[in-house]
Amino acid sequence: MRDLRPSKSRPAFLKGFELIFGMKYGMAAARRSPGHEIHGVLHRITMEELIKLDKIETWYVREKVEVCSYEADMSKDTQANIAYVYVFNPELVAKDPELFKEHPPKERYIDILKEG
């Protein structure tokens, strides 16, 4: 996972966002979208790893969000956690909206996403 070593990982979901695939290679990003949810994995990483990830994700900016982790009993309430999600950089999108149009992801990229 890009040389990141999470100290803890758990399934979680993010309300009010949807997963999109943009740019000509179909790169994943979160986009605000009321009524939608993104389901995935919440990773605990160090500040140094977060800074490293920021440098890798040059097309994105991170937003602070509240995510909910699943509990063992899905019928109960979920626990909220503060986390970051990467969205396409709005300044870059404004400069070249055509570049950030939605495109389906390549199979190799889907495999990377599945690995985490």
Side-chain angles (χ1 to χ4, degrees), residues 14 18-20 25 27 29 37 40 43 51 58 65 83 89:
L14 173 60
E18 65 181 333
L19 179 64
I20 61 165
Y25 301 111
M27 305 300 285
E37 296 177 346
H43 297 292
I51 292 167
T58 58
V65 294
N89 185 323

Side-chain angles (χ1 to χ4, degrees), residues 74-87:
M74 294 295 286
S75 65
K76 294 183 179 179
D77 290 334
T78 56
Q79 179 182 352
N81 298 273
I82 300 300
Y84 293 106
V85 65
Y86 283 92
V87 299

